[in-house]
Amino acid sequence: MISDKQQLIIEKTAEFVKATLHNAEGGHDWFHIYRVWKNAMTLAKEEAADLFVVQLAALLHDIADAKFHNGDDSIGPATAGKFLAKEDVDSNVIVHVQNIIANISFKGGKHLLEFSSKELDIVQDADRLDAIGAIGIARAFSYGGFKNRRMYDPEIQPDLHMDKERYRNSQAPTINHFYEKLLLLKDRMNTAAGRKMAEQRHAFMEHYLDQFYLEWEGLQ
Ligand code: ADP
Ligand code: NI
């Protein structure tokens, strides 16, 4: 259960994140945070977890993304820690939230996991859920448009073995991103509740792709 004092801190954190991300790019704006927060709440109701830590970490997980700070991945945890300390949050909660932020990201598939907790599992699942399903499709095409990429090019095959650098700099069409990342996420979920939600969103993407190829050839 969340105490009144914790509830107030959550609300202040949401305000802080909203203000900090007011001109963030579309994939990581306040509404991405909002959706991850809601996903995390849904998952946390089915998995025994500390709801205070889950909510703070969901709200702060993209507060300073390394890829917008010359690859420096210490800025996110540091910014979150500074804010939470100012709000008088217990230091063990702060350290837990910082560990979640430091370990949540999917970087082209390869990842060194140094820390684990139920709360990390939940927030990571919540973030992954926002990359799949109807929202995931919208985010992928929005990102592809921003990068001026083709929607689809039947000549260019997906590449499942990209390193971190090639993954970031890829000029491949957006449809390839489904095979390189989005359709792989279902099998990487940590929690049973996350897996269940991912399966529905995954099926929606597969259905979408079937329809996409039929329309591409004028068959439907
Ligand atoms: P994260 O910060 O979650 O690791 P990214 O910054 O890589 O993810 O991606 C943010 C959003 O943009 C996600 O929804 C992701 O699917 C999408 N995206 C990332 N790379 C590509 C790409 N090459 N083509 C299309 N969409 C992409
Ligand atoms: Ni995120």
Side-chain angles (χ1 to χ4, degrees):
M1 276 309 287
I2 294 282
S3 71
D4 288 350
K5 184 170 166 241
Q6 289 174 329
Q7 188 56 42
L8 201 67
I9 293 171
I10 289 165
E11 280 159 28
K12 284 176 94 170
T13 305
E15 286 310 314
F16 167 71
V17 174
K18 217 190 250 183
T20 306
L21 298 182
H22 70 276
N23 53 16
E25 51 81 43
H28 296 93
D29 60 2
W30 160 251
F31 289 116
H32 163 65
I33 306 303
Y34 173 85
R35 294 188 302 265
V36 172
W37 181 23
K38 298 295 146 174
N39 288 344
M41 287 294 278
T42 302
L43 299 178
K45 277 185 194 130
E46 290 190 41
E47 310 275 337
D50 182 330
L51 279 175
F52 189 46
V53 170
V54 164
Q55 293 190 75
L56 293 179
L59 285 166
L60 291 162
H61 83 276
D62 278 331
I63 195 67
D65 194 311
K67 63 180 164 293
F68 307 120
H69 294 86
N70 299 320
D72 184 349
D73 45 24
S74 66
I75 294 186
T79 307
K82 212 168 118 193
F83 171 78
L84 295 174
K86 214 177 68 212
E87 297 301 322
D88 262 338
V89 172
D90 285 353
S91 62
N92 59 331
V93 170
I94 297 181
V95 170
H96 193 167
V97 170
Q98 289 180 309
N99 271 319
I100 294 175
I101 299 171
N103 284 281
I104 190 176
S105 185
F106 178 111
K107 299 278 184 254
K110 296 197 180 59
H111 191 148
L112 185 68
L113 199 66
E114 298 141 2
F115 170 86
S116 69
S117 76
K118 189 57 153 183
E119 289 74 17
L120 167 60
D121 286 351
I122 288 173
V123 180
Q124 190 171 49
D125 278 3
D127 196 30
R128 286 176 173 164
L129 284 169
D130 203 50
I132 60 178
I135 298 277
I137 294 170
R139 283 180 87 203
F141 284 105
S142 150
Y143 182 98
F146 174 69
K147 293 270 183 179
N148 207 14
R149 293 185 188 163
R150 291 186 182 154
M151 291 194 297
Y152 176 50
D153 183 339
E155 305 277 294
I156 305 176
Q157 294 304 308
D159 178 354
L160 290 169
H161 304 286
M162 279 187 278
D163 60 25
K164 205 165 143 177
E165 197 61 18
R166 261 172 64 215
Y167 175 73
R168 284 278 169 238
N169 300 328
S170 159
Q171 271 305 319
T174 299
I175 285 287
N176 291 19
H177 187 63
F178 286 76
Y179 301 95
E180 289 159 1
K181 176 175 171 185
L182 307 185
L183 292 167
L184 309 180
L185 290 175
K186 163 178 79 71
D187 294 326
R188 297 174 152 264
M189 301 304 282
N190 307 305
T191 67
R195 214 165 299 125
K196 219 170 91 195
M197 280 173 82
E199 265 161 25
Q200 252 178 339
R201 294 183 187 209
H202 183 92
F204 186 87
M205 289 194 295
E206 294 208 301
H207 184 65
Y208 173 83
L209 289 168
D210 290 344
Q211 178 75 17
F212 186 98
Y213 298 125
L214 286 173
E215 292 184 14
W216 192 267
E217 298 299 338
L219 293 172
Q220 185 147 313

